Amino acid sequence: MNSLGKIISINKDLYTVMVDDSVFPCSVRGKLRNFKLTVGDNVVINTNTLTIEEVKERKNTLIRPLISNIDKLFIVVSTHIPRFSTYLLDKFLVLSEVNNIEPVIIITKLDICDKSEVKEIKNVLKYYKKLGYKVYTNKQIRKIKKEMKGCVVSLAGQTGAGKSTLLNKCDKSLNLKTGEVSEHLGRGKHTTRLVELISFNDSLIADTPGFSSLELDMSLETISSGFKEFGFNCKYSSCTHVKNDGCNVIERVNNGKILKSRYESYLKLIGR
Ligand SMILES: Nc1nc2c(ncn2[C@@H]2O[C@H](COP(=O)(O)OP(=O)(O)OP(=O)(O)O)[C@@H](O)[C@H]2O)c(=O)[nH]1
Ligand SMILES: [Mg+2]
Ligand SMILES: [Zn+2]
């Protein structure tokens, strides 16, 4: 019998496929052998032969870790060890925007962050809220669980940011391994290694390794489109916002309408 399911983990040639509440260990056959299936793929399986027969079109795919069909990206941002980085945050936001994934920003380690620094960070985050992004702290578990409901969610964020810790707070029985952050390096050691979708709270969640080597392999136009406040009303239709000759974006950076660090992230992402 054929059933529609979702790949929740891949280990070498073994594909674990979830159909409703059951899990089937499957292999791949025929022409699909040459196709790189990913966690999150919606597939048709034959429940007698335990083979994947067909893969459905994806709505998006993230690479490193490889995962498809994400509804929401929980961007976990540490305020202290590893240090708060608007650049990383902006990078993940661009990644979400261009892949049509709703981003949710979750701030961690406020308890060990300097009070004055917390104030500064909260001020910066006001700008993101004004852009329409949801921002929570990792203490707001009830709200975060509500965000998950009915969704396929991937976590993203630096190693050591507190992704696994956050999921453990959502559900103790998950018992995900969390790691010590090296004080010296200010970063973790990739405690989470495998990518798999975990089913809980009426949602599917991927706790991911830290995306430490996240590269945005995108064109300048695509990166630019990921900064939603930039808009398209510049002097030139194909403005790259790097020359100060009437560029609307630069003007808005100069008069404080666009957060300076956002613009700096943009320049860094396009290699300027
Ligand atoms: N003080 C404090 N420590 C935290 C918080 N969140 C996480 N930690 C600690 O930070 C360390 C790293 O947390 P993890 O949850 O393993 O980080 P991760 O993002 O899953 O890291 P990788 O799996 O390597 O990507 C652990 O020692 C946690 O206990 C927080 O809000 N406050
Ligand atoms: Mg982890
Ligand atoms: Zn411009």
Side-chain angles (χ1 to χ4, degrees):
M1 199 187 78
N2 280 356
S3 303
L4 182 65
K6 191 185 265 302
I7 299 178
I8 56 168
S9 75
I10 301 176
N11 202 340
K12 298 206 175 82
D13 293 329
L14 182 72
Y15 299 77
T16 305
V17 178
M18 196 166 89
V19 178
D20 298 323
D21 284 330
S22 309
V23 166
F24 298 88
C26 295
S27 62
V28 178
R29 91 139 135 223
K31 57 184 195 302
L32 273 180
R33 285 192 101 88
N34 298 320
F35 184 83
K36 187 135 179 73
L37 288 162
T38 73
V39 168
D41 267 330
N42 297 316
V43 291
V44 176
I45 63 165
N46 181 320
T47 47
N48 298 323
T49 57
L50 293 178
T51 49
I52 297 176
E53 304 288 330
E54 187 191 332
V55 57
K56 299 288 179 190
E57 203 182 323
R58 295 169 180 158
K59 75 170 182 184
N60 53 46
T61 301
L62 298 184
I63 36 178
R64 252 186 292 167
L66 196 57
I67 184 163
S68 300
N69 299 317
I70 307 291
D71 299 317
K72 289 183 182 175
L73 190 70
F74 283 10
I75 304 172
V76 180
V77 190
S78 164
T79 53
H80 189 67
I81 318 179
R83 281 196 54 198
F84 182 68
S85 158
T86 48
Y87 175 62
L88 264 178
L89 173 58
D90 293 334
K91 207 169 172 177
F92 283 124
L93 286 172
V94 170
L95 188 75
S96 312
E97 293 289 346
V98 306
N99 285 293
N100 243 323
I101 303 171
E102 186 189 348
V104 176
I105 302 166
I106 299 170
I107 308 299
T108 67
K109 309 203 186 187
L110 285 161
D111 55 308
I112 52 167
C113 185
D114 214 63
K115 277 221 168 68
S116 63
E117 215 167 316
V118 169
K119 213 170 151 188
E120 222 172 277
I121 290 169
K122 285 199 165 159
N123 221 6
V124 169
L125 290 171
K126 270 190 199 151
Y127 177 84
Y128 290 85
K129 281 186 191 168
K130 241 194 265 165
L131 287 180
Y133 292 124
K134 289 171 183 158
V135 181
Y136 301 110
T137 75
N138 63 344
K139 292 231 164 82
Q140 295 174 289
I141 296 302
R142 215 163 41 91
K143 287 189 175 156
I144 291 169
K145 281 174 86 167
K146 220 168 161 185
E147 284 293 342
M148 290 177 184
K149 265 220 150 81
C151 295
V152 178
V153 179
S154 176
L155 267 67
Q158 257 176 309
T159 172
K163 299 179 294 296
S164 303
T165 304
L166 174 74
L167 290 185
N168 285 339
K169 275 192 191 179
C170 290
D171 188 336
K172 277 200 189 68
S173 68
L174 287 176
N175 212 2
L176 296 166
K177 202 169 163 231
T178 61
E180 286 308 312
V181 177
S182 150
E183 288 275 343
H184 179 61
L185 289 170
R187 51 189 160 94
K189 295 166 284 192
H190 289 290
T191 306
T192 306
R193 288 177 177 278
L194 264 184
V195 187
E196 59 177 339
L197 284 166
I198 310 162
S199 167
F200 87 101
N201 189 36
D202 188 26
S203 47
L204 283 169
I205 314 278
D207 181 19
T208 66
F211 282 98
S212 71
S213 56
L214 175 76
E215 296 299 332
L216 295 185
D217 189 14
M218 298 170 186
S219 71
L220 198 149
E221 287 77 21
T222 309
I223 291 173
S224 174
S225 74
F227 287 81
K228 62 179 182 179
E229 72 270 49
F230 283 13
F232 298 97
N233 41 4
C234 262
K235 189 170 172 182
Y236 308 107
S237 58
S238 59
C239 184
T240 54
H241 320 309
V242 290
K243 268 209 207 115
N244 192 0
D245 55 357
C247 164
N248 182 259
V249 167
I250 294 178
E251 201 179 289
R252 283 191 287 150
V253 173
N254 288 338
N255 66 25
K257 291 246 160 61
I258 291 175
L259 192 69
K260 195 151 180 279
S261 61
R262 287 276 286 171
Y263 183 61
E264 282 163 0
S265 294
Y266 168 71
L267 291 181
K268 201 166 164 185
L269 284 173
I270 64 169
R272 289 288 179 142

Short mmCIF file of all heavy atoms in Angstrom, two decimals, residues 234-236 239-243 246-250, ligand 3:
data_model
loop_
_atom_site.label_atom_id
_atom_site.label_comp_id
_atom_site.label_asym_id
_atom_site.label_seq_id
_atom_site.Cartn_x
_atom_site.Cartn_y
_atom_site.Cartn_z
N CYS A 234 14.66 53.13 -5.12
CA CYS A 234 15.91 53.86 -5.24
C CYS A 234 15.96 54.65 -6.53
O CYS A 234 15.09 54.53 -7.38
CB CYS A 234 17.08 52.89 -5.17
SG CYS A 234 17.76 52.83 -3.52
N LYS A 235 17.03 55.41 -6.65
CA LYS A 235 17.22 56.24 -7.84
C LYS A 235 17.26 55.37 -9.10
O LYS A 235 16.65 55.69 -10.11
CB LYS A 235 18.53 57.00 -7.68
CG LYS A 235 18.77 58.06 -8.71
CD LYS A 235 19.98 58.88 -8.28
CE LYS A 235 20.40 59.84 -9.37
NZ LYS A 235 21.59 60.60 -8.97
N TYR A 236 18.01 54.28 -9.02
CA TYR A 236 18.09 53.37 -10.16
C TYR A 236 17.33 52.09 -9.82
O TYR A 236 17.36 51.63 -8.68
CB TYR A 236 19.54 53.03 -10.45
CG TYR A 236 20.41 54.24 -10.59
CD1 TYR A 236 21.32 54.57 -9.59
CD2 TYR A 236 20.31 55.07 -11.71
CE1 TYR A 236 22.12 55.70 -9.70
CE2 TYR A 236 21.11 56.20 -11.81
CZ TYR A 236 22.00 56.51 -10.80
OH TYR A 236 22.77 57.62 -10.91
N CYS A 239 19.55 49.42 -8.27
CA CYS A 239 20.50 49.98 -7.31
C CYS A 239 21.03 48.91 -6.36
O CYS A 239 20.29 48.10 -5.85
CB CYS A 239 19.81 51.08 -6.50
SG CYS A 239 20.93 51.92 -5.38
N THR A 240 22.36 48.96 -6.15
CA THR A 240 22.95 48.00 -5.22
C THR A 240 23.17 48.62 -3.85
O THR A 240 23.74 48.00 -2.95
CB THR A 240 24.30 47.48 -5.77
OG1 THR A 240 25.12 48.61 -6.07
CG2 THR A 240 24.09 46.66 -7.02
N HIS A 241 22.76 49.86 -3.69
CA HIS A 241 22.85 50.57 -2.40
C HIS A 241 24.27 50.68 -1.87
O HIS A 241 24.49 50.58 -0.67
CB HIS A 241 21.96 49.90 -1.33
CG HIS A 241 20.65 49.42 -1.83
ND1 HIS A 241 19.79 50.21 -2.56
CD2 HIS A 241 20.03 48.21 -1.72
CE1 HIS A 241 18.71 49.51 -2.86
NE2 HIS A 241 18.83 48.30 -2.37
N VAL A 242 25.25 50.83 -2.73
CA VAL A 242 26.61 51.02 -2.23
C VAL A 242 27.17 52.39 -2.59
O VAL A 242 28.13 52.85 -1.98
CB VAL A 242 27.59 49.90 -2.72
CG1 VAL A 242 27.27 48.60 -2.04
CG2 VAL A 242 27.58 49.75 -4.22
N LYS A 243 26.60 53.03 -3.60
CA LYS A 243 27.09 54.37 -4.00
C LYS A 243 26.15 55.44 -3.48
O LYS A 243 24.95 55.36 -3.66
CB LYS A 243 27.16 54.44 -5.53
CG LYS A 243 28.50 54.04 -6.08
CD LYS A 243 28.75 54.78 -7.39
CE LYS A 243 29.67 53.98 -8.29
NZ LYS A 243 29.03 53.53 -9.51
N GLY A 246 22.31 59.47 -4.26
CA GLY A 246 20.85 59.56 -4.28
C GLY A 246 20.18 58.25 -3.92
O GLY A 246 18.96 58.14 -3.97
N CYS A 247 20.98 57.27 -3.53
CA CYS A 247 20.41 55.98 -3.12
C CYS A 247 19.52 56.19 -1.89
O CYS A 247 19.93 56.74 -0.87
CB CYS A 247 21.51 54.99 -2.81
SG CYS A 247 20.94 53.55 -1.89
N ASN A 248 18.33 55.72 -2.04
CA ASN A 248 17.32 55.91 -1.00
C ASN A 248 17.67 55.14 0.28
O ASN A 248 17.40 55.60 1.39
CB ASN A 248 15.99 55.46 -1.58
CG ASN A 248 14.85 55.64 -0.63
OD1 ASN A 248 14.43 54.68 0.00
ND2 ASN A 248 14.39 56.86 -0.48
N VAL A 249 18.29 53.99 0.10
CA VAL A 249 18.65 53.18 1.26
C VAL A 249 19.73 53.89 2.08
O VAL A 249 19.60 54.05 3.30
CB VAL A 249 19.11 51.77 0.83
CG1 VAL A 249 19.78 51.04 1.99
CG2 VAL A 249 17.93 50.95 0.32
N ILE A 250 20.77 54.36 1.40
CA ILE A 250 21.86 55.06 2.10
C ILE A 250 21.32 56.31 2.79
O ILE A 250 21.69 56.61 3.93
CB ILE A 250 23.00 55.40 1.12
CG1 ILE A 250 23.65 54.10 0.64
CG2 ILE A 250 24.05 56.30 1.78
CD1 ILE A 250 24.76 54.26 -0.36
ZN ZN B 3 19.93 52.16 -3.48
#
